[in-house]
Amino acid sequence: MRKPNPFATLIFFIILGVGGVFAFVVGVISNVLGTGIGVITFAVALVASSAIKVADQWDRAVILRLGRFHELKGPGLFFIIPIIDMIPYWIDTRIIPTSFKAEKTLTKDTVPVDVDAVLFWQVIDPKKAALDVADYQVAISWASQTALRDVIGKTMLSDMLEGREKISGELQKIIDERTEPWGVKVISVEVKDVLIPPALEDAMSMQAQAERERQARVILGDSERQVAEKFGEAAKTYVDNPTALHLRAMNMLYEGLKSNASIVIVPSSAVESMQLGGLTGMTALTMGLQEQAKREKTSAPPLPLQPQ
């Protein structure tokens, strides 16, 4: 409901006040004449305040004269002829957001979904919006809902979850075609949320988890294959260079003893393949490496004492 016009109310009281003072002065001379002037003043004030209208910057007034469209007025101050002219609609020309949704609507692959969306629209022809449709706001709301249901019925669930921009574009095109004869321009349509049944949501979550696990296993298997290939390339390097293989074997034993300082059990086949000598030589090598590791640990300088 439109708020009362304060400017017209001010004019009403000004005319009524001036006329009241004049009627009082005349009433001192003649009571009948003063009463008549007071009644006339009230009627003039009422007519004047009814004729004065003020439209806001975003409003357009649709004026009907004796039931026929006369003109559009606004924004600002304008006048009408009381009783003859009337204003059935004040059209707001700003961009208006309208929320709409579709509940339990089946997609193309027969999945029930709930979709929430927001429509941004603007009246660009107030005359058409007032004369060509009974209630353009309600009509826009119903047109948006039916268009949303049509688009959902033609779209797969996967496409709906991944391509919201595409659905928004299709909705904007459809709704704009339906509302153009009403003088309404659709600015944009934004799909806010797509809700699916909880059971289907759990199933999709399990499917996504299984797919991630499969990818992890594939990556792990590929990594093992690459490691095996690198080991094969390293073996080819050691085939023609027994000295390098021997030094590598000693380095591996040294690193193990250095970190653990314990007995290392090496299979006899590995000892022969790495050319580390017999059992006696292997034991002596191990003891020597252990002694060297102990000396390195004991020769480390002590840590300085912290002051108390």
Side-chain angles (χ1 to χ4, degrees):
M1 181 178 294
R2 185 174 175 80
K3 297 180 180 180
N5 184 4
F7 183 74
T9 305
L10 177 63
I11 296 298
F12 173 80
F13 283 109
I14 290 176
I15 296 175
L16 189 63
V18 173
V21 172
F22 184 71
F24 176 77
V25 173
V26 175
V28 174
I29 302 174
S30 173
N31 291 332
V32 176
L33 185 58
T35 303
I37 293 176
V39 173
I40 294 173
T41 301
F42 179 79
V44 171
L46 185 62
V47 171
S49 62
S50 300
I52 298 174
K53 301 294 181 183
V54 178
D56 295 329
Q57 180 65 36
W58 54 84
D59 282 338
R60 300 295 182 271
V62 179
I63 300 177
L64 300 181
R65 178 164 294 176
L66 297 177
R68 296 176 64 88
F69 175 78
H70 178 59
E71 60 180 339
L72 294 173
K73 287 290 188 179
L77 178 66
F78 63 94
F79 300 92
I80 64 173
I81 302 175
I83 302 176
I84 296 177
D85 293 342
M86 63 177 299
I87 304 177
Y89 298 109
W90 293 83
I91 306 297
D92 193 335
T93 58
R94 294 175 294 182
I95 296 176
I96 301 175
T98 300
S99 178
F100 62 100
K101 61 183 179 179
E103 297 180 351
K104 306 301 179 183
T105 305
L106 295 179
T107 61
K108 189 175 181 180
D109 48 352
T110 64
V111 177
V113 295
D114 297 341
V115 181
D116 293 335
V118 178
L119 173 69
F120 296 91
W121 56 276
Q122 182 181 22
V123 177
I124 58 176
D125 193 339
K127 180 180 178 181
K128 290 183 178 181
L131 303 181
D132 293 350
V133 61
D135 191 335
Y136 63 93
Q137 294 186 357
V138 175
I140 291 171
S141 179
W142 282 110
S144 302
Q145 291 185 18
T146 55
L148 179 58
R149 291 180 178 274
D150 292 342
V151 172
I152 292 174
K154 299 177 182 178
T155 308
M156 302 290 289
L157 178 62
S158 58
D159 297 336
M160 185 174 299
L161 296 176
E162 297 177 358
R164 294 189 181 183
E165 295 181 358
K166 181 180 179 181
I167 298 176
S168 300
E170 293 180 0
L171 283 173
Q172 179 179 351
K173 181 180 179 181
I174 295 173
I175 299 173
D176 190 47
E177 291 178 354
R178 295 181 180 180
T179 59
E180 184 179 2
W182 306 336
V184 175
K185 174 65 176 178
V186 176
I187 305 300
S188 66
V189 179
E190 301 292 339
V191 177
K192 295 191 299 182
D193 197 7
V194 179
L195 301 178
I196 60 178
L200 180 59
E201 186 176 355
D202 295 340
M204 294 177 65
S205 177
M206 294 176 61
Q207 180 182 1
Q209 184 177 0
E211 178 64 22
R212 293 190 183 96
E213 185 176 355
R214 184 188 67 83
Q215 293 179 358
R217 291 180 179 274
V218 170
I219 294 173
L220 179 61
D222 186 67
S223 300
E224 292 179 353
R225 179 186 58 81
Q226 294 179 6
V227 171
E229 291 179 356
K230 295 299 180 181
F231 276 132
E233 294 176 1
K236 293 179 181 179
T237 304
Y238 290 132
V239 166
D240 299 329
N241 197 344
T243 304
L245 178 61
H246 182 72
L247 292 175
R248 177 58 181 163
M250 294 180 63
N251 180 260
M252 291 171 62
L253 289 174
Y254 172 73
E255 292 295 333
L257 294 172
K258 180 180 179 181
S259 58
N260 298 322
S262 59
I263 299 175
V264 179
I265 298 176
V266 181
S268 58
S269 59
V271 172
E272 295 176 357
S273 63
M274 292 187 292
Q275 300 179 3
L276 293 176
L279 181 61
T280 305
M282 181 64 189
T283 304
L285 175 62
T286 304
M287 294 178 62
L289 291 175
Q290 286 181 346
E291 292 295 332
Q292 183 178 357
K294 289 181 180 179
R295 286 196 301 270
E296 290 181 357
K297 289 184 178 180
T298 56
S299 62
L303 297 175
L305 296 176
Q306 299 292 335
Q308 299 294 329

